[in-house]
Amino acid sequence: MQAIKDKHLVKTHSYINGQWHKSHSTFAVTNPATSKIITTVDNAGIVEANLAVRSAKSALQSWSAMSAHQRATILRNWFNLMVEHQDDLARILTLEQGKPLAEAKGEIAYGASFVEWFAEEGKRVYGDTIAAPSADKRIVVLKQAIGVVAAITPWNFPNAMIARKAAAALAAGCTFVVRPSEQTPLSALAMAELAHRAGIPEGVFNVVVGEDAKAIGEVLTQHPDVAKFTFTGSTAVGKTLIGQCASTVKKVSMELGGNAPFIVFDDADIDAAVDGAIASKYRNAGQTCVCSNRIFVDESVLAQFTEKFSQAVAKLKLGNGLEQTTDVGPMISAQAVSKVEQLVKSSVDEGATVILGGKVEPVGSSFYQPTILANVSPEMPIATNEIFGPVAPIIAFRGEAEVIAMANNTPYGLAAYFYARDIGRIWRVAEALEYGMVGINEGIISNAAAPFGGMKQSGNGREGSKYGLDDYLEVKYLCMGGLAK
Ligand code: NAP
């Protein structure tokens, strides 16, 4: 914490109606690299969640009535402050989440890019005029802010998952309440401090930090004044929250889990495929929703790919994210490590072979070695579950048809990747994959200009891009009649 230059960015209370709100109890925030407590944070609950929704409701009328240009100016201030404080925000993020500092800086830039993007995009919300069926009528379509938006976000991208939602909501004219993961509240509160400095009016952006996810979640999903609920997290929790939203028929968008295939065809550039696999697998210690989860390799290039991939993974340095030399940081907790250990063990029991790593690192209980498993079959637990850790299972295949069937054989449909050169194959495979996002000869696919989101049980709605505002807008049709003389 000493290295943080602007100490006022470290906040420990919920931010509601433009003020820092005290609660009666506290909870601890822990550094996953050292298992040491960083600080304690006031523990908000149902009362604060209700208060935040009320504040957002009170602020809605004036915020939505502002011109998109006025809102853009304020959002642009927020973006500038995030860029200006990138180093401090990244350090706070690494301390509570664990990812290497360079990755944390990348996340702050990525999060800020959505604020910049939607500040601009908010000016381009267009309505429509439609030819009416009779001469004395006119049909006009308006797009209006949906209202109060509530959000729940996970710990793996504690800045960007909030920025991606809040920027779109605020640009559309909505007000916003977010409950971040209890494991990473500090990044969210630092964003609130910068929102305050940027001039975002009171009640427009609220952060409720508290341990009781279920209780706060019930307020945010069932409150009649919340018009739209947006969630990023696991599919299991997402399904529960969709159910809770039913009682008030909220508009819902969900960014849920994945089981991304990464396919290396026989005509692939193997070196590029190795680079792509490393980037898409080991970033954030394998804890991203778009991480490669099953690496399918054509059997004719299996030996070549496996050798080069193993050599490259062996060079990755595991360590505390604050150390310059670290490539892969800790996982979020010792429990997350045990889940991965269990998946590896049960797959090895079924015949998989550990060819690299496969152990908890002695430096700390939250560190799991970058691992490669060979001789994996698609039915093994490591291939059917979302691993969410630094383990790459390699599955051999023969031909396009077989691998497309295997890749699509999952309830998930978030991201997929493939490496090939033949242009006919590229089109066939891209169109056949049942995924919301497909990286073709590319392992890093997410940016503010592109629509991020999944198919099947990976969710609905899109974040970022020109489509990202739609989830925060209502379409209203005006029928103007009586025009005949
Ligand atoms: P999770 O258990 O679903 O938690 C996500 C968030 O929901 C956290 O803030 C959590 O709070 C909260 N939560 C948990 N149970 C809740 C309940 N009953 N009511 C209300 N809130 C509840 O997911 P996770 O393991 O932390 O995060 C990883 C998952 O997120 C993975 O499946 C990953 O694929 C997915 N993800 C998806 C995307 C995407 O864009 N599609 C992006 C990132 C992550 P606490 O943490 O405080 O318990």
Side-chain angles (χ1 to χ4, degrees), residues 140-456:
V140 179
V141 176
L142 305 182
K143 289 192 182 170
Q144 293 182 312
I146 191 163
V148 174
V149 173
I152 294 181
T153 52
W155 48 265
N156 64 342
F157 287 92
N159 174 291
M161 294 303 98
I162 296 174
R164 210 159 71 177
K165 296 179 189 303
L170 267 54
C174 300
T175 55
F176 193 81
V177 178
V178 61
R179 188 256 171 205
S181 167
E182 65 173 294
Q183 304 188 81
T184 54
L186 301 179
S187 294
L189 295 174
M191 290 171 80
E193 167 64 16
L194 295 181
H196 192 86
R197 292 184 200 176
I200 293 180
E202 58 189 34
V204 171
F205 179 76
N206 304 275
V207 181
V208 178
V209 289
E211 273 183 313
D212 195 342
K214 189 167 177 295
I216 298 172
E218 279 169 3
V219 174
L220 300 185
T221 51
Q222 291 171 358
H223 200 297
D225 285 341
V226 173
K228 147 106 201 188
F229 178 74
T230 170
F231 175 69
T232 296
S234 63
T235 296
V237 173
K239 285 179 185 176
T240 303
L241 298 176
I242 293 171
Q244 288 175 199
C245 287
S247 65
T248 47
V249 195
K250 295 191 197 318
K251 186 163 175 170
V252 169
S253 58
M254 293 277 144
E255 297 287 345
L256 305 177
N259 184 353
F262 183 102
I263 307 170
V264 184
F265 284 101
D266 55 3
D267 58 333
D269 174 334
I270 299 296
D271 292 327
V274 166
D275 290 346
I278 299 237
S280 75
K281 176 72 255 183
Y282 296 103
R283 197 163 55 100
N284 204 11
Q287 303 168 113
T288 87
C289 52
V290 293
C291 267
S292 299
N293 208 63
R294 295 167 293 160
I295 302 197
F296 294 104
V297 186
D298 187 289
E299 60 181 15
S300 66
V301 292
L302 181 65
Q304 190 192 359
F305 175 84
T306 306
E307 191 190 336
K308 289 188 170 192
F309 185 52
S310 307
Q311 281 168 2
V313 176
K315 289 186 191 139
L316 296 177
K317 185 160 178 323
L318 193 63
N320 187 322
L322 292 178
E323 285 158 17
Q324 285 277 330
T325 51
T326 295
D327 298 307
V328 179
M331 294 186 63
I332 190 68
S333 62
Q335 293 95 295
V337 170
S338 351
K339 192 198 130 202
V340 168
E341 254 189 311
Q342 191 47 45
L343 284 177
V344 170
K345 185 180 172 309
S346 49
S347 303
V348 168
D349 289 347
E350 292 182 23
T353 320
V354 176
I355 56 172
L356 193 76
K359 290 204 175 67
V360 181
E361 185 77 8
V363 288
S365 57
S366 298
F367 289 88
Y368 195 81
Q369 296 173 334
T371 296
I372 302 176
L373 295 187
N375 300 318
V376 175
S377 71
E379 300 76 30
M380 289 180 182
I382 201 77
T384 54
N385 288 279
E386 186 180 28
I387 305 167
F388 235 59
V391 180
I394 299 182
I395 303 169
F397 72 88
R398 274 189 211 178
E400 225 173 276
E402 183 184 64
V403 77
I404 288 169
M406 289 197 291
N408 286 340
N409 188 21
T410 163
Y412 296 108
L414 192 58
Y417 309 85
F418 71 92
Y419 280 69
R421 282 283 157 210
D422 178 83
I423 189 68
R425 165 176 281 170
I426 286 176
W427 277 105
R428 284 191 303 275
V429 176
E431 289 176 1
L433 286 170
E434 296 164 355
Y435 289 83
M437 298 172 281
V438 181
I440 303 164
N441 297 317
E442 183 55 66
I444 298 286
I445 54 177
S446 183
N447 60 73
F452 191 104
M455 298 179 177
K456 293 157 81 176

Side-chain angles (χ1 to χ4, degrees), residues 20-35:
W20 302 101
H21 195 90
K22 282 201 173 16
S23 305
H24 296 301
S25 61
T26 58
F27 66 97
V29 184
T30 308
N31 179 342
T34 60
S35 305

Side-chain angles (χ1 to χ4, degrees), residues 94-113:
T94 294
L95 279 168
E96 65 178 351
Q97 200 275 342
K99 67 180 64 174
L101 206 47
E103 269 187 44
K105 278 190 197 172
E107 178 178 341
I108 303 302
Y110 174 68
S113 75

Side-chain angles (χ1 to χ4, degrees), residues 12-79:
T12 56
H13 302 102
S14 290
Y15 180 74
I16 300 170
N17 205 27
Q19 288 171 6
W20 302 101
H21 195 90
K22 282 201 173 16
S23 305
H24 296 301
S25 61
T26 58
F27 66 97
V29 184
T30 308
N31 179 342
T34 60
S35 305
K36 292 202 175 116
I37 292 176
I38 306 165
T39 186
T40 56
V41 169
D42 270 34
N43 188 17
I46 294 175
V47 171
E48 290 84 352
N50 276 303
L51 192 61
V53 172
R54 255 202 318 278
S55 308
K57 179 76 178 172
S58 307
L60 181 65
Q61 206 282 329
S62 55
W63 181 251
S64 60
M66 272 187 188
S67 74
H69 282 72
Q70 287 172 307
R71 287 194 295 266
T73 304
I74 298 174
L75 287 172
R76 185 84 205 178
N77 292 343
W78 200 22
F79 162 76

